[in-house]
Amino acid sequence: MTATITTVCTPAAPPLQPTVAAEQDCRRRYAPSVWGDFFITYQPCTPEELVSMQEKAMAMKEEVRKIVLAVAVVSGDLWRKLDLVNTLQRLGVDYHYKKEIDDILRAVYDDHEDGGSDGDDLYVTSLRFYLLRKHGYAVSSDGFGKFKDEQGNISSDDVNTLLTLYDAAHLRVHGEDILDNIIAFNTSRLRTLMKTNLEPELLEEIRVTLETTLFRRVERVEARHFISVHEKKATRDDTILEFAKLDYNLVQVVYCNELKELTIWWKDLRSRVDLTFSRDRLVEMHFWMMGILYEPYYSYARIMLTKQVPFVALLDDIYDNYSSTEESNIFTTALERWDEKAAEQIREYLRSFYRNVICCTDKVVEELKRQNNKHAEVVREMALHVAKSYHAEVTWRDEHYVPADVDEHLQISLGSIAAMQTVVLTFVSLGDVTTREAIDWAMTYPDIVRGVTVIARIMNDIMSHEREQASDHMASTVQTCMKQYGVTVEEAIEKLNVIVEKAWMDMVQECIDQKYPTLLLEKVVSFAQSIDFFYKSEDLYTLPYNLKDTLTSMYAKFI
């Protein structure tokens, strides 16, 4: 079922009164929402169709479980076990079989420490390494050494093996030269293959892999993509494929119900607060949060995050374009008091916004308390933390200060990208699995959190620095890198991308170290995947038109 989506500009209250230049700049930069009130009335299916799908999916889910259990007990068939786990994950149904998958991978790790008899197969070795590293097992990369050719390179003439090898190598950590070399050599090989007469399906897989290696893909986007790929395979299991399609559609219904509730909330907020100065990106924000928590049982967590994180973007626009230094000081001081009465100290055009930040955040806190969430008050703490981080940049902006080096820039700008705060809010939304110790740990920017924050900061700057520097804006990491090394924009971006790659290595290492629950670490990685998606080739949050087709497939088009 496909719906027609039109561009809608939601009416708002009379505009704020910042400087004319700032208002013109924002209106030039921010396109209106392409969704408007679409999800208030949209129904992906009838209630009767939904019940029928649910009943069929429930039965098929157990059929697939029998397949998984049958494969798990077969000895000596490592390829089949690994391929099944990989297929379930790429189809997006692995969340139904977490225990079974964990049992299989534990057995694979314990029984085949060195790869066993399958260790001479590069495809099996690569897939084993990929899946075990992805799940936090400290598996060594030394096993790839036996596959070196006379020139010391590791590759394959089989395209599927080559793609799997390339994906595996991207779960590298610092100092793994063998994986670095695999990536360098096979990036060139894959680019060369793109110019050959391979089958269209293989060429497309190469293109997708060169654009985004498997470990960095958003899970629901990959599920939609891989369902189409998998159904063309002669070796597919039709039961698993049909269940994946059903499950995808059922999860889509969950998302649509959430967006209906959120659109009503957002429309009400916009009727009370002038938000014409800001990016109207509710659906895009939900998609971003869904990238972190895609499983249907995290429905409330997605709603909570989608209500809180948009205020981050709104605060960003306020501090960047709609307040002087003096007004920023007053606004931040009022937030520190966290009292509606403090609004009287704020310029009139910001009062309604201030009151609604307080009100909406307080409502989320109360909802969490009713759910016996022990960390509800952290939500207020993160809202204030974001505001203070933006406020800290105002002086740099006003003085047109360009930091001496990227490290100095990141000392202050990591806070204002709000990735750490989003990680903490995600941890809060997960309830009892999260301890206060884990929250405090995340706030110290450990390697995995600093990694996702560096990725967010640098990728955002690479895609937005040219647009933002056209206005009165803080110097980006791109400008700072240019100053530090005396290089061009293109050369600075190359250097910054090296820092991004190192950040991914830090994240993989922390997942292997497993100092905190795997679930928490996985969600930080999922956040990094969503950031990579949004800022891969352009700023899809600010300029969302090219995201429209992807969101239609996520929300308004059954398989």
Side-chain angles (χ1 to χ4, degrees):
M1 183 179 296
T2 308
T4 302
I5 301 157
T6 56
T7 300
V8 180
C9 193
T10 307
L16 305 181
Q17 301 298 320
T19 64
V20 173
E23 184 173 343
Q24 289 175 343
D25 179 67
C26 282
R27 291 184 186 283
R28 182 178 71 248
R29 288 189 294 141
Y30 301 148
S33 169
V34 299
W35 297 93
D37 298 341
F38 175 79
F39 286 101
I40 293 178
T41 56
Y42 174 62
Q43 287 187 312
C45 62
T46 66
E48 293 76 18
E49 290 171 333
L50 177 60
V51 170
S52 176
M53 286 194 300
Q54 288 172 331
E55 291 175 348
K56 186 174 182 180
M58 188 176 299
M60 295 199 72
K61 174 181 172 180
E62 296 312 311
E63 289 183 43
V64 173
R65 192 184 308 280
K66 291 177 182 177
I67 294 172
V68 176
L69 292 172
V71 170
V73 299
V74 175
S75 61
D77 199 348
L78 181 58
W79 176 89
R80 190 179 177 196
K81 292 177 182 179
L82 295 173
D83 188 69
L84 177 61
V85 171
N86 191 46
T87 298
L88 293 173
Q89 291 185 349
R90 295 188 68 181
L91 289 173
V93 296
D94 56 303
Y95 71 95
H96 290 291
Y97 312 104
K98 284 189 178 293
K99 183 182 184 304
E100 291 85 352
I101 288 173
D102 287 344
D103 289 345
I104 290 174
L105 293 178
R106 168 54 65 180
V108 166
Y109 180 74
D110 291 341
D111 297 344
H112 298 272
E113 197 67 46
D114 61 353
S117 59
D118 296 283
D120 295 328
D121 186 313
L122 181 56
Y123 174 81
V124 173
T125 298
S126 300
L127 186 54
R128 176 182 180 274
F129 180 87
Y130 172 82
L131 290 173
L132 291 179
R133 271 277 174 101
K134 179 182 176 183
H135 284 262
Y137 287 94
V139 57
S140 173
S141 58
D142 293 344
F144 287 105
K146 68 179 75 174
F147 298 101
K148 288 183 179 180
D149 61 20
E150 294 178 357
Q151 287 74 41
N153 297 314
I154 302 172
S155 190
S156 175
D157 293 327
D158 177 72
V159 176
N160 287 320
T161 299
L162 181 56
L163 291 171
T164 305
L165 172 67
Y166 186 80
D167 286 330
H170 276 86
L171 275 96
R172 58 183 168 167
V173 296
H174 297 282
E176 290 190 303
D177 294 343
I178 192 169
L179 300 184
D180 295 340
N181 293 335
I182 286 172
I183 292 172
F185 181 76
N186 289 298
T187 297
S188 177
R189 280 217 67 198
L190 288 169
R191 286 173 178 165
T192 300
L193 287 171
M194 284 289 292
K195 302 173 184 177
T196 63
N197 294 321
L198 287 173
E199 296 175 6
E201 292 82 3
L202 283 177
L203 287 174
E204 177 62 11
E205 281 303 287
I206 293 172
R207 185 196 67 78
V208 169
T209 299
L210 284 172
E211 181 180 278
T212 310
T213 187
L214 185 56
F215 181 61
R216 301 182 189 179
R217 297 180 200 171
V218 175
E219 291 175 273
R220 293 313 286 178
V221 177
E222 171 61 13
R224 183 65 183 85
H225 162 75
F226 191 67
I227 286 172
S228 299
V229 171
H230 193 62
E231 67 183 349
K232 296 183 178 71
K233 293 184 177 181
T235 58
R236 70 184 182 273
D237 186 304
D238 286 332
T239 300
I240 295 176
L241 177 63
E242 187 177 356
F243 174 61
K245 290 181 177 181
L246 266 175
D247 190 70
Y248 185 92
N249 294 341
L250 286 169
V251 173
Q252 188 177 106
V253 174
V254 174
Y255 295 158
C256 286
N257 288 336
E258 293 166 8
L259 280 169
K260 178 177 182 178
E261 176 182 336
L262 285 163
T263 303
I264 293 171
W265 167 81
W266 184 243
K267 186 176 182 181
D268 176 63
L269 177 65
R270 290 176 64 85
S271 72
R272 290 182 280 108
V273 185
D274 167 41
L275 297 178
T276 54
F277 68 92
S278 66
R279 290 161 284 190
D280 184 358
R281 303 291 182 263
L282 179 74
V283 178
E284 291 79 8
M285 184 59 72
H286 181 274
F287 171 70
W288 202 329
M289 298 304 103
M290 177 262 283
I292 306 173
L293 298 161
Y294 76 91
E295 298 93 336
Y297 44 76
Y298 289 130
S299 184
Y300 176 75
R302 280 188 297 275
I303 291 171
M304 172 205 140
L305 290 169
T306 308
K307 285 183 177 180
Q308 280 303 114
V309 178
F311 282 116
V312 172
L314 296 175
L315 285 167
D316 185 14
D317 294 334
I318 286 285
Y319 280 94
D320 270 357
N321 299 297
Y322 276 79
S323 63
S324 65
T325 301
E326 180 184 359
E327 290 167 343
S328 296
N329 291 336
I330 295 170
F331 189 83
T332 307
T333 300
L335 277 177
E336 287 174 333
R337 288 178 56 186
W338 204 267
D339 183 355
E340 285 196 30
K341 294 179 181 178
E344 300 305 318
Q345 306 298 319
I346 302 172
R347 283 281 297 274
E348 185 176 353
Y349 75 88
L350 283 176
R351 286 177 192 167
S352 180
F353 175 71
Y354 170 84
R355 290 191 177 105
N356 280 275
V357 170
I358 299 293
C359 178
C360 290
T361 303
D362 284 346
K363 284 183 178 179
V364 168
V365 171
E366 292 307 311
E367 288 171 357
L368 288 169
K369 286 181 176 179
R370 284 196 293 272
Q371 298 172 18
N372 297 317
N373 190 300
K374 300 174 183 177
H375 314 298
E377 293 292 344
V378 175
V379 176
R380 291 194 186 99
E381 189 178 343
M382 289 301 99
L384 182 56
H385 198 289
V386 169
K388 286 182 175 180
S389 297
Y390 287 137
H391 183 242
E393 292 184 350
V394 170
T395 301
W396 279 12
R397 178 199 69 188
D398 292 350
E399 296 177 354
H400 302 284
Y401 177 68
V402 181
D405 54 46
V406 174
D407 285 342
E408 182 191 358
H409 194 294
L410 293 177
Q411 284 176 10
I412 188 169
S413 64
L414 287 186
S416 63
I417 200 65
M420 179 278 287
Q421 297 90 333
T422 302
V423 167
V424 170
L425 289 173
T426 301
F427 285 6
V428 170
S429 76
L430 292 172
D432 291 342
V433 71
T434 304
T435 63
R436 181 68 211 201
E437 180 187 2
I439 290 173
D440 292 340
W441 168 75
M443 292 175 66
T444 66
Y445 288 91
D447 284 348
I448 191 168
V449 176
R450 191 177 194 280
V452 71
T453 307
V454 167
I455 291 167
R457 175 79 275 162
I458 291 178
M459 293 191 73
N460 177 290
D461 281 1
I462 288 173
M463 288 300 125
S464 64
H465 81 98
E466 185 176 346
R467 182 189 72 250
E468 291 183 338
Q469 297 315 316
S471 62
D472 190 15
H473 198 277
M474 174 184 165
S476 70
T477 50
V478 177
Q479 287 176 290
T480 300
C481 191
M482 292 170 65
K483 174 183 176 181
Q484 180 179 353
Y485 295 102
V487 295
T488 64
V489 171
E490 292 75 17
E491 291 169 328
I493 289 173
E494 286 183 15
K495 289 181 179 294
L496 291 171
N497 280 329
V498 171
I499 297 175
V500 168
E501 288 302 315
K502 290 179 178 178
W504 277 105
M505 293 185 215
D506 289 339
M507 296 184 71
V508 172
Q509 184 64 63
E510 193 112 52
C511 288
I512 294 171
D513 293 343
Q514 290 193 343
K515 296 176 182 177
Y516 284 88
T518 300
L519 175 62
L520 300 184
L521 302 177
E522 288 175 346
K523 296 310 175 187
V524 181
V525 172
S526 294
F527 186 24
Q529 292 165 345
S530 67
I531 291 167
D532 183 86
F533 180 90
F534 266 91
Y535 297 114
K536 174 69 71 176
S537 57
E538 59 184 310
D539 181 351
L540 289 174
Y541 184 77
T542 301
L543 307 168
Y545 187 79
N546 288 336
L547 187 57
K548 182 179 174 182
D549 288 345
T550 297
L551 297 191
T552 300
S553 70
M554 293 293 104
Y555 298 124
K557 185 178 181 181
F558 274 179
I559 296 178

